Amino acid sequence: MSQIYFDNVQLYHFKWCPFCIKVRIAMKVMGIEVECKNILSNPIYKAELIEGGGKKQVPCLRIQENGSVRWLYESSDIIDYMKQQCN
């Protein structure tokens, strides 16, 4: 299976969060690659998440489309969004 890279999407996460693991596994199964930003290893990523999304909850998908940015929380919603992008 070939990999699909989405350059308009970033996943804010941390390594051992079970909901983040769920999202990363689903993306791997779907063959999707996105930029991953670990908020525990880089305080700049944590600040970006809080400033842009309004809270430090992970996983969070930052989606840039049509000149606007939206922040998508909840692992199931993130997985659903990525499935839609693959169709």
Side-chain angles (χ1 to χ4, degrees):
M1 178 190 302
S2 63
Q3 292 292 103
I4 304 166
Y5 182 76
F6 290 94
D7 60 358
N8 66 321
V9 172
Q10 294 86 39
L11 178 66
Y12 289 80
H13 73 108
F14 62 85
K15 190 171 184 169
W16 299 113
C17 161
F19 298 104
C20 299
I21 293 169
K22 175 182 170 182
V23 169
R24 290 194 312 265
I25 289 172
M27 287 181 173
K28 184 173 183 106
V29 168
M30 288 185 273
I32 294 172
E33 285 186 50
V34 301
E35 180 181 3
C36 291
K37 296 186 170 190
N38 186 330
I39 68 165
L40 294 182
S41 66
N42 189 330
I44 292 171
Y45 296 157
K46 182 178 178 180
E48 288 174 358
L49 175 61
I50 293 169
E51 183 178 330
K55 52 188 172 179
K56 67 176 182 176
Q57 177 183 331
V58 291
C60 181
L61 198 64
R62 180 187 183 273
I63 306 163
Q64 189 170 346
E65 294 175 316
N66 304 318
S68 65
V69 174
R70 72 180 171 126
W71 299 81
L72 183 62
Y73 293 92
E74 302 301 330
S75 56
S76 296
D77 293 340
I78 293 169
I79 293 167
D80 288 344
Y81 171 83
M82 298 311 289
K83 283 179 184 175
Q84 291 173 0
Q85 299 308 302
C86 289
N87 291 333

